[in-house]
Amino acid sequence: KATPTVTVTGGTFTYDATAHPATGTVTRGGVPIGSPVFTYNGASEPPVNGGTYNVVGTFAGDANHNPATGSATITIDKTIPVVTVSGGTYTYDGQPHPATASATGVGGVQLMGLTVTYNGSPEPPVNANGYVVTATYPGDTNYEAITRYGAIQIAPATPTVIVTGGTFTYDGQPHGASATVTGIGGVDLGPATLTYDGSASVPVNAGTYVAVAV
C-alpha cells in the first residue's frame, strides 16, 4: 500500500461565537484520494471558544493506501466586549444614585461579572460630592478584561431655615430670635447662627432689628 499525504490547515481567528473548523486534503502524488477526519484537542467538534487547539487530520486508509495523519493549530483570540457606564447629575435627596452599566458580548449577549465602584466603594453614592464611576469587566475565556469610566455629581440641597422674631417692650433684657434648620425629610440639621443687624449680640434696646439665621 502507498502512504498518502494528509495536509491540515488551521488558522488564527477572533472569537465571534461561531465554530472555526480546519480544512484539509488527503493526496497521493498530488491526486486527491479523500478527506481527513479532524479532532481538536482530541474532540470532534470544531472549536468555538477562545484558546489554542491542536488539530489532527486522520485518514483511515483504504485498499490501496495506508492510514496517515497531519496536524495544524487553530488559535481563537479573545475579543473586546462593549462596556458602557452612565452616571448623572443630581441634587442631594437622601437617596442613593447608582450608575447604569452593562457589559455585552458578541450578538449583544449580556456578560456576567461586571463590577461598578464609586470613588472605589461598591455602594452607590448618597451624599453631595463628585464621584468617579468605574465599571470593570474582568475578562474570561472569550473576552478581554476592560474598564470604562463615568461620573456622578450630587449637588448640595438647600435646607429650610425658619426664623421667628417677635415684638417686645423694653425691659432691660435681651430678646433673641429663634431659628430652625431642616433638611430633606424634615431632618433637624442643628442650630443656626443668628445675627441682629449684623451683630451677634442679642438686642436689648428699643428698636427694630433684622434677625438673620445662617
Side-chain angles (χ1 to χ4, degrees), residues 110-210:
Q110 194 73 27
L111 302 178
M112 306 303 292
L114 183 70
T115 60
V116 180
T117 61
Y118 308 87
N119 287 358
S121 170
E123 297 300 323
V126 175
N127 295 322
N129 201 355
Y131 298 85
V132 175
V133 184
T134 304
T136 300
Y137 179 71
D140 61 15
T141 299
N142 298 320
Y143 294 96
E144 299 282 2
I146 189 170
T147 299
R148 292 287 185 262
Y149 300 95
I152 288 177
Q153 185 70 43
I154 302 178
T158 301
T160 299
V161 179
I162 298 175
V163 180
T164 303
T167 300
F168 308 92
T169 299
Y170 174 78
D171 59 4
Q173 301 299 315
H175 292 282
S178 62
T180 60
V181 184
T182 56
I184 300 298
V187 62
D188 185 358
L189 298 181
T193 299
L194 285 158
T195 61
Y196 306 88
D197 287 350
S199 171
S201 299
V202 178
V204 175
N205 296 322
T208 300
Y209 299 84
V210 176

